[in-house]
PDB file of all heavy atoms in Angstrom:
ATOM      1  N   LEU A   4      16.940  51.991 -12.330  1.00 96.00           N
ATOM      2  CA  LEU A   4      18.305  51.763 -11.875  1.00 96.00           C
ATOM      3  C   LEU A   4      18.753  50.345 -12.181  1.00 96.00           C
ATOM      4  O   LEU A   4      17.942  49.429 -12.319  1.00 96.00           O
ATOM      5  CB  LEU A   4      18.400  51.989 -10.363  1.00 96.00           C
ATOM      6  CG  LEU A   4      18.094  53.397  -9.845  1.00 96.00           C
ATOM      7  CD1 LEU A   4      18.061  53.380  -8.320  1.00 96.00           C
ATOM      8  CD2 LEU A   4      19.112  54.396 -10.344  1.00 96.00           C
ATOM      9  N   LEU A   5      20.058  50.174 -12.271  1.00 97.00           N
ATOM     10  CA  LEU A   5      20.689  48.862 -12.256  1.00 97.00           C
ATOM     11  C   LEU A   5      21.144  48.560 -10.831  1.00 97.00           C
ATOM     12  O   LEU A   5      21.417  49.481 -10.054  1.00 97.00           O
ATOM     13  CB  LEU A   5      21.918  48.839 -13.175  1.00 97.00           C
ATOM     14  CG  LEU A   5      21.686  48.855 -14.683  1.00 97.00           C
ATOM     15  CD1 LEU A   5      23.019  49.029 -15.389  1.00 97.00           C
ATOM     16  CD2 LEU A   5      21.024  47.562 -15.131  1.00 97.00           C
ATOM     17  N   TRP A   6      21.244  47.278 -10.497  1.00 96.00           N
ATOM     18  CA  TRP A   6      21.690  46.932  -9.157  1.00 96.00           C
ATOM     19  C   TRP A   6      23.152  47.322  -8.951  1.00 96.00           C
ATOM     20  O   TRP A   6      23.516  47.951  -7.962  1.00 96.00           O
ATOM     21  CB  TRP A   6      21.488  45.442  -8.889  1.00 96.00           C
ATOM     22  CG  TRP A   6      22.219  44.963  -7.675  1.00 96.00           C
ATOM     23  CD1 TRP A   6      23.126  43.962  -7.602  1.00 96.00           C
ATOM     24  CD2 TRP A   6      22.123  45.505  -6.356  1.00 96.00           C
ATOM     25  NE1 TRP A   6      23.600  43.833  -6.320  1.00 96.00           N
ATOM     26  CE2 TRP A   6      22.998  44.775  -5.521  1.00 96.00           C
ATOM     27  CE3 TRP A   6      21.377  46.534  -5.785  1.00 96.00           C
ATOM     28  CZ2 TRP A   6      23.141  45.026  -4.168  1.00 96.00           C
ATOM     29  CZ3 TRP A   6      21.514  46.799  -4.425  1.00 96.00           C
ATOM     30  CH2 TRP A   6      22.394  46.052  -3.637  1.00 96.00           C
ATOM     31  N   HIS A   7      24.021  46.992  -9.899  1.00 96.00           N
ATOM     32  CA  HIS A   7      25.448  47.196  -9.705  1.00 96.00           C
ATOM     33  C   HIS A   7      26.112  47.233 -11.073  1.00 96.00           C
ATOM     34  O   HIS A   7      25.729  46.484 -11.978  1.00 96.00           O
ATOM     35  CB  HIS A   7      26.022  46.048  -8.869  1.00 96.00           C
ATOM     36  CG  HIS A   7      27.358  46.323  -8.256  1.00 96.00           C
ATOM     37  ND1 HIS A   7      28.516  46.429  -8.994  1.00 96.00           N
ATOM     38  CD2 HIS A   7      27.730  46.529  -6.959  1.00 96.00           C
ATOM     39  CE1 HIS A   7      29.533  46.671  -8.192  1.00 96.00           C
ATOM     40  NE2 HIS A   7      29.088  46.741  -6.950  1.00 96.00           N
ATOM     41  N   ALA A   8      27.104  48.096 -11.232  1.00 96.00           N
ATOM     42  CA  ALA A   8      27.793  48.214 -12.519  1.00 96.00           C
ATOM     43  C   ALA A   8      28.441  46.902 -12.934  1.00 96.00           C
ATOM     44  O   ALA A   8      28.539  46.589 -14.124  1.00 96.00           O
ATOM     45  CB  ALA A   8      28.846  49.325 -12.453  1.00 96.00           C
ATOM     46  N   GLU A   9      28.896  46.113 -11.974  1.00 95.00           N
ATOM     47  CA  GLU A   9      29.588  44.849 -12.281  1.00 95.00           C
ATOM     48  C   GLU A   9      28.668  43.636 -12.176  1.00 95.00           C
ATOM     49  O   GLU A   9      29.086  42.517 -12.481  1.00 95.00           O
ATOM     50  CB  GLU A   9      30.780  44.670 -11.344  1.00 95.00           C
ATOM     51  CG  GLU A   9      31.834  45.764 -11.496  1.00 95.00           C
ATOM     52  CD  GLU A   9      32.971  45.623 -10.497  1.00 95.00           C
ATOM     53  OE1 GLU A   9      32.913  44.672  -9.696  1.00 95.00           O
ATOM     54  OE2 GLU A   9      33.882  46.452 -10.527  1.00 95.00           O
ATOM     55  N   HIS A  10      27.432  43.855 -11.745  1.00 96.00           N
ATOM     56  CA  HIS A  10      26.479  42.754 -11.587  1.00 96.00           C
ATOM     57  C   HIS A  10      25.118  43.210 -12.104  1.00 96.00           C
ATOM     58  O   HIS A  10      24.206  43.479 -11.318  1.00 96.00           O
ATOM     59  CB  HIS A  10      26.372  42.322 -10.125  1.00 96.00           C
ATOM     60  CG  HIS A  10      27.670  41.909  -9.525  1.00 96.00           C
ATOM     61  ND1 HIS A  10      28.259  40.691  -9.792  1.00 96.00           N
ATOM     62  CD2 HIS A  10      28.523  42.564  -8.697  1.00 96.00           C
ATOM     63  CE1 HIS A  10      29.403  40.609  -9.133  1.00 96.00           C
ATOM     64  NE2 HIS A  10      29.590  41.726  -8.465  1.00 96.00           N
ATOM     65  N   PRO A  11      24.960  43.326 -13.429  1.00 96.00           N
ATOM     66  CA  PRO A  11      23.690  43.811 -13.971  1.00 96.00           C
ATOM     67  C   PRO A  11      22.556  42.848 -13.663  1.00 96.00           C
ATOM     68  O   PRO A  11      22.777  41.652 -13.435  1.00 96.00           O
ATOM     69  CB  PRO A  11      23.959  43.882 -15.477  1.00 96.00           C
ATOM     70  CG  PRO A  11      25.041  42.874 -15.708  1.00 96.00           C
ATOM     71  CD  PRO A  11      25.911  42.930 -14.479  1.00 96.00           C
ATOM     72  N   ALA A  12      21.345  43.370 -13.652  1.00 98.00           N
ATOM     73  CA  ALA A  12      20.171  42.549 -13.382  1.00 98.00           C
ATOM     74  C   ALA A  12      18.987  43.111 -14.149  1.00 98.00           C
ATOM     75  O   ALA A  12      18.864  44.328 -14.311  1.00 98.00           O
ATOM     76  CB  ALA A  12      19.870  42.514 -11.880  1.00 98.00           C
ATOM     77  N   VAL A  13      18.132  42.233 -14.603  1.00 98.00           N
ATOM     78  CA  VAL A  13      16.910  42.629 -15.290  1.00 98.00           C
ATOM     79  C   VAL A  13      15.882  43.043 -14.248  1.00 98.00           C
ATOM     80  O   VAL A  13      15.558  42.268 -13.341  1.00 98.00           O
ATOM     81  CB  VAL A  13      16.352  41.470 -16.146  1.00 98.00           C
ATOM     82  CG1 VAL A  13      15.046  41.889 -16.816  1.00 98.00           C
ATOM     83  CG2 VAL A  13      17.373  41.042 -17.180  1.00 98.00           C
ATOM     84  N   CYS A  14      15.379  44.257 -14.364  1.00 98.00           N
ATOM     85  CA  CYS A  14      14.342  44.736 -13.453  1.00 98.00           C
ATOM     86  C   CYS A  14      12.994  44.223 -13.938  1.00 98.00           C
ATOM     87  O   CYS A  14      12.626  44.420 -15.101  1.00 98.00           O
ATOM     88  CB  CYS A  14      14.356  46.267 -13.418  1.00 98.00           C
ATOM     89  SG  CYS A  14      13.063  46.966 -12.370  1.00 98.00           S
ATOM     90  N   THR A  15      12.245  43.558 -13.060  1.00 97.00           N
ATOM     91  CA  THR A  15      10.955  42.988 -13.448  1.00 97.00           C
ATOM     92  C   THR A  15       9.798  43.452 -12.569  1.00 97.00           C
ATOM     93  O   THR A  15       8.710  42.871 -12.615  1.00 97.00           O
ATOM     94  CB  THR A  15      11.019  41.447 -13.434  1.00 97.00           C
ATOM     95  OG1 THR A  15      11.401  41.000 -12.131  1.00 97.00           O
ATOM     96  CG2 THR A  15      12.008  40.928 -14.465  1.00 97.00           C
ATOM     97  N   SER A  16      10.016  44.500 -11.754  1.00 98.00           N
ATOM     98  CA  SER A  16       8.903  45.030 -10.957  1.00 98.00           C
ATOM     99  C   SER A  16       9.187  46.472 -10.578  1.00 98.00           C
ATOM    100  O   SER A  16      10.336  46.904 -10.514  1.00 98.00           O
ATOM    101  CB  SER A  16       8.679  44.190  -9.690  1.00 98.00           C
ATOM    102  OG  SER A  16       9.795  44.282  -8.813  1.00 98.00           O
ATOM    103  N   MET A  17       8.111  47.212 -10.335  1.00 98.00           N
ATOM    104  CA  MET A  17       8.213  48.607  -9.908  1.00 98.00           C
ATOM    105  C   MET A  17       7.133  48.882  -8.868  1.00 98.00           C
ATOM    106  O   MET A  17       5.966  48.520  -9.065  1.00 98.00           O
ATOM    107  CB  MET A  17       8.036  49.537 -11.113  1.00 98.00           C
ATOM    108  CG  MET A  17       7.915  51.021 -10.750  1.00 98.00           C
ATOM    109  SD  MET A  17       7.834  52.093 -12.204  1.00 98.00           S
ATOM    110  CE  MET A  17       9.586  52.225 -12.577  1.00 98.00           C
ATOM    111  N   ARG A  18       7.532  49.481  -7.769  1.00 98.00           N
ATOM    112  CA  ARG A  18       6.533  49.862  -6.770  1.00 98.00           C
ATOM    113  C   ARG A  18       5.689  51.032  -7.275  1.00 98.00           C
ATOM    114  O   ARG A  18       6.130  51.822  -8.112  1.00 98.00           O
ATOM    115  CB  ARG A  18       7.213  50.257  -5.454  1.00 98.00           C
ATOM    116  CG  ARG A  18       7.899  49.103  -4.772  1.00 98.00           C
ATOM    117  CD  ARG A  18       8.267  49.387  -3.326  1.00 98.00           C
ATOM    118  NE  ARG A  18       9.292  50.392  -3.170  1.00 98.00           N
ATOM    119  CZ  ARG A  18       9.918  50.650  -2.015  1.00 98.00           C
ATOM    120  NH1 ARG A  18       9.608  49.958  -0.930  1.00 98.00           N
ATOM    121  NH2 ARG A  18      10.854  51.574  -1.939  1.00 98.00           N
ATOM    122  N   GLY A  19       4.480  51.148  -6.753  1.00 98.00           N
ATOM    123  CA  GLY A  19       3.646  52.312  -7.027  1.00 98.00           C
ATOM    124  C   GLY A  19       3.909  53.395  -6.000  1.00 98.00           C
ATOM    125  O   GLY A  19       4.713  53.234  -5.073  1.00 98.00           O
ATOM    126  N   MET A  20       3.194  54.528  -6.133  1.00 97.00           N
ATOM    127  CA  MET A  20       3.458  55.643  -5.245  1.00 97.00           C
ATOM    128  C   MET A  20       2.229  56.530  -5.114  1.00 97.00           C
ATOM    129  O   MET A  20       1.438  56.685  -6.049  1.00 97.00           O
ATOM    130  CB  MET A  20       4.625  56.483  -5.785  1.00 97.00           C
ATOM    131  CG  MET A  20       5.049  57.609  -4.858  1.00 97.00           C
ATOM    132  SD  MET A  20       6.301  58.688  -5.605  1.00 97.00           S
ATOM    133  CE  MET A  20       5.316  59.573  -6.790  1.00 97.00           C
ATOM    134  N   ILE A  21       2.089  57.119  -3.929  1.00 97.00           N
ATOM    135  CA  ILE A  21       1.108  58.169  -3.709  1.00 97.00           C
ATOM    136  C   ILE A  21       1.713  59.164  -2.722  1.00 97.00           C
ATOM    137  O   ILE A  21       2.451  58.777  -1.808  1.00 97.00           O
ATOM    138  CB  ILE A  21      -0.237  57.596  -3.203  1.00 97.00           C
ATOM    139  CG1 ILE A  21      -1.299  58.688  -3.162  1.00 97.00           C
ATOM    140  CG2 ILE A  21      -0.084  56.916  -1.855  1.00 97.00           C
ATOM    141  CD1 ILE A  21      -2.694  58.152  -2.949  1.00 97.00           C
ATOM    142  N   SER A  22       1.446  60.439  -2.925  1.00 97.00           N
ATOM    143  CA  SER A  22       2.014  61.500  -2.088  1.00 97.00           C
ATOM    144  C   SER A  22       0.925  62.159  -1.260  1.00 97.00           C
ATOM    145  O   SER A  22      -0.241  62.233  -1.677  1.00 97.00           O
ATOM    146  CB  SER A  22       2.706  62.562  -2.956  1.00 97.00           C
ATOM    147  OG  SER A  22       3.747  61.989  -3.717  1.00 97.00           O
ATOM    148  N   ALA A  23       1.311  62.651  -0.093  1.00 98.00           N
ATOM    149  CA  ALA A  23       0.374  63.343   0.798  1.00 98.00           C
ATOM    150  C   ALA A  23       1.063  64.527   1.461  1.00 98.00           C
ATOM    151  O   ALA A  23       2.273  64.491   1.709  1.00 98.00           O
ATOM    152  CB  ALA A  23      -0.171  62.381   1.854  1.00 98.00           C
ATOM    153  N   GLN A  24       0.284  65.556   1.750  1.00 98.00           N
ATOM    154  CA  GLN A  24       0.768  66.749   2.446  1.00 98.00           C
ATOM    155  C   GLN A  24      -0.146  66.982   3.647  1.00 98.00           C
ATOM    156  O   GLN A  24      -1.358  67.090   3.497  1.00 98.00           O
ATOM    157  CB  GLN A  24       0.724  67.961   1.516  1.00 98.00           C
ATOM    158  CG  GLN A  24       1.477  69.181   2.023  1.00 98.00           C
ATOM    159  CD  GLN A  24       2.943  69.164   1.618  1.00 98.00           C
ATOM    160  OE1 GLN A  24       3.330  68.417   0.730  1.00 98.00           O
ATOM    161  NE2 GLN A  24       3.748  69.986   2.248  1.00 98.00           N
ATOM    162  N   LEU A  25       0.441  67.020   4.848  1.00 98.00           N
ATOM    163  CA  LEU A  25      -0.339  67.224   6.071  1.00 98.00           C
ATOM    164  C   LEU A  25       0.072  68.532   6.728  1.00 98.00           C
ATOM    165  O   LEU A  25       1.244  68.729   7.057  1.00 98.00           O
ATOM    166  CB  LEU A  25      -0.124  66.066   7.049  1.00 98.00           C
ATOM    167  CG  LEU A  25      -0.796  66.196   8.418  1.00 98.00           C
ATOM    168  CD1 LEU A  25      -2.313  66.294   8.280  1.00 98.00           C
ATOM    169  CD2 LEU A  25      -0.405  65.032   9.319  1.00 98.00           C
ATOM    170  N   GLN A  26      -0.898  69.431   6.902  1.00 98.00           N
ATOM    171  CA  GLN A  26      -0.678  70.701   7.603  1.00 98.00           C
ATOM    172  C   GLN A  26      -1.450  70.667   8.914  1.00 98.00           C
ATOM    173  O   GLN A  26      -2.651  70.349   8.935  1.00 98.00           O
ATOM    174  CB  GLN A  26      -1.133  71.884   6.755  1.00 98.00           C
ATOM    175  CG  GLN A  26      -0.300  72.086   5.499  1.00 98.00           C
ATOM    176  CD  GLN A  26      -0.791  73.256   4.668  1.00 98.00           C
ATOM    177  OE1 GLN A  26      -1.981  73.405   4.442  1.00 98.00           O
ATOM    178  NE2 GLN A  26       0.135  74.075   4.204  1.00 98.00           N
ATOM    179  N   VAL A  27      -0.759  70.984  10.001  1.00 98.00           N
ATOM    180  CA  VAL A  27      -1.365  71.002  11.334  1.00 98.00           C
ATOM    181  C   VAL A  27      -1.358  72.444  11.839  1.00 98.00           C
ATOM    182  O   VAL A  27      -0.327  73.125  11.806  1.00 98.00           O
ATOM    183  CB  VAL A  27      -0.585  70.096  12.302  1.00 98.00           C
ATOM    184  CG1 VAL A  27      -1.205  70.150  13.701  1.00 98.00           C
ATOM    185  CG2 VAL A  27      -0.568  68.659  11.790  1.00 98.00           C
ATOM    186  N   TYR A  28      -2.542  72.906  12.306  1.00 98.00           N
ATOM    187  CA  TYR A  28      -2.699  74.301  12.733  1.00 98.00           C
ATOM    188  C   TYR A  28      -2.871  74.378  14.246  1.00 98.00           C
ATOM    189  O   TYR A  28      -3.724  73.702  14.819  1.00 98.00           O
ATOM    190  CB  TYR A  28      -3.912  74.932  12.049  1.00 98.00           C
ATOM    191  CG  TYR A  28      -3.851  74.868  10.540  1.00 98.00           C
ATOM    192  CD1 TYR A  28      -4.589  73.905   9.840  1.00 98.00           C
ATOM    193  CD2 TYR A  28      -3.035  75.738   9.814  1.00 98.00           C
ATOM    194  CE1 TYR A  28      -4.529  73.842   8.463  1.00 98.00           C
ATOM    195  CE2 TYR A  28      -2.971  75.672   8.435  1.00 98.00           C
ATOM    196  CZ  TYR A  28      -3.716  74.717   7.765  1.00 98.00           C
ATOM    197  OH  TYR A  28      -3.643  74.647   6.409  1.00 98.00           O
ATOM    198  N   GLY A  29      -2.022  75.198  14.899  1.00 98.00           N
ATOM    199  CA  GLY A  29      -2.110  75.421  16.340  1.00 98.00           C
ATOM    200  C   GLY A  29      -2.691  76.788  16.638  1.00 98.00           C
ATOM    201  O   GLY A  29      -3.874  77.033  16.362  1.00 98.00           O
ATOM    202  N   PRO A  30      -1.897  77.723  17.193  1.00 98.00           N
ATOM    203  CA  PRO A  30      -2.397  79.083  17.428  1.00 98.00           C
ATOM    204  C   PRO A  30      -2.862  79.731  16.124  1.00 98.00           C
ATOM    205  O   PRO A  30      -2.462  79.329  15.030  1.00 98.00           O
ATOM    206  CB  PRO A  30      -1.175  79.805  17.995  1.00 98.00           C
ATOM    207  CG  PRO A  30      -0.308  78.727  18.549  1.00 98.00           C
ATOM    208  CD  PRO A  30      -0.513  77.542  17.664  1.00 98.00           C
ATOM    209  N   LEU A  31      -3.689  80.739  16.244  1.00 98.00           N
ATOM    210  CA  LEU A  31      -4.197  81.425  15.060  1.00 98.00           C
ATOM    211  C   LEU A  31      -3.127  82.253  14.374  1.00 98.00           C
ATOM    212  O   LEU A  31      -3.289  82.662  13.229  1.00 98.00           O
ATOM    213  CB  LEU A  31      -5.384  82.313  15.442  1.00 98.00           C
ATOM    214  CG  LEU A  31      -6.577  81.572  16.078  1.00 98.00           C
ATOM    215  CD1 LEU A  31      -7.717  82.555  16.372  1.00 98.00           C
ATOM    216  CD2 LEU A  31      -7.058  80.445  15.175  1.00 98.00           C
ATOM    217  N   ARG A  32      -2.041  82.538  15.078  1.00 97.00           N
ATOM    218  CA  ARG A  32      -0.882  83.214  14.500  1.00 97.00           C
ATOM    219  C   ARG A  32       0.327  82.795  15.318  1.00 97.00           C
ATOM    220  O   ARG A  32       0.193  82.182  16.372  1.00 97.00           O
ATOM    221  CB  ARG A  32      -1.058  84.743  14.547  1.00 97.00           C
ATOM    222  CG  ARG A  32      -1.280  85.286  15.945  1.00 97.00           C
ATOM    223  CD  ARG A  32      -1.429  86.804  15.958  1.00 97.00           C
ATOM    224  NE  ARG A  32      -1.693  87.313  17.296  1.00 97.00           N
ATOM    225  CZ  ARG A  32      -0.778  87.542  18.229  1.00 97.00           C
ATOM    226  NH1 ARG A  32       0.514  87.286  17.952  1.00 97.00           N
ATOM    227  NH2 ARG A  32      -1.097  87.994  19.408  1.00 97.00           N
ATOM    228  N   ASP A  33       1.543  83.092  14.825  1.00 96.00           N
ATOM    229  CA  ASP A  33       2.736  82.856  15.640  1.00 96.00           C
ATOM    230  C   ASP A  33       2.642  83.704  16.896  1.00 96.00           C
ATOM    231  O   ASP A  33       2.426  84.919  16.817  1.00 96.00           O
ATOM    232  CB  ASP A  33       3.995  83.243  14.857  1.00 96.00           C
ATOM    233  CG  ASP A  33       4.264  82.305  13.681  1.00 96.00           C
ATOM    234  OD1 ASP A  33       3.554  81.293  13.559  1.00 96.00           O
ATOM    235  OD2 ASP A  33       5.182  82.599  12.900  1.00 96.00           O
ATOM    236  N   VAL A  34       2.802  83.060  18.061  1.00 97.00           N
ATOM    237  CA  VAL A  34       2.604  83.762  19.332  1.00 97.00           C
ATOM    238  C   VAL A  34       3.873  83.657  20.172  1.00 97.00           C
ATOM    239  O   VAL A  34       4.458  82.573  20.303  1.00 97.00           O
ATOM    240  CB  VAL A  34       1.404  83.165  20.107  1.00 97.00           C
ATOM    241  CG1 VAL A  34       1.177  83.942  21.406  1.00 97.00           C
ATOM    242  CG2 VAL A  34       0.150  83.183  19.251  1.00 97.00           C
ATOM    243  N   HIS A  35       4.302  84.776  20.753  1.00 96.00           N
ATOM    244  CA  HIS A  35       5.483  84.831  21.614  1.00 96.00           C
ATOM    245  C   HIS A  35       5.416  83.724  22.666  1.00 96.00           C
ATOM    246  O   HIS A  35       4.465  83.618  23.435  1.00 96.00           O
ATOM    247  CB  HIS A  35       5.554  86.210  22.276  1.00 96.00           C
ATOM    248  CG  HIS A  35       6.666  86.344  23.274  1.00 96.00           C
ATOM    249  ND1 HIS A  35       7.882  85.740  23.145  1.00 96.00           N
ATOM    250  CD2 HIS A  35       6.718  87.062  24.448  1.00 96.00           C
ATOM    251  CE1 HIS A  35       8.650  86.051  24.169  1.00 96.00           C
ATOM    252  NE2 HIS A  35       7.959  86.854  24.981  1.00 96.00           N
TER     253      HIS A  35
END
């Protein structure tokens, strides 16, 4: 991305990334 259409800027860094998926299990099935 650019910062602003009227105020361009040179990008000199990029963050890294890692993704995670957490599943939590309660009852053994959906229960009334």
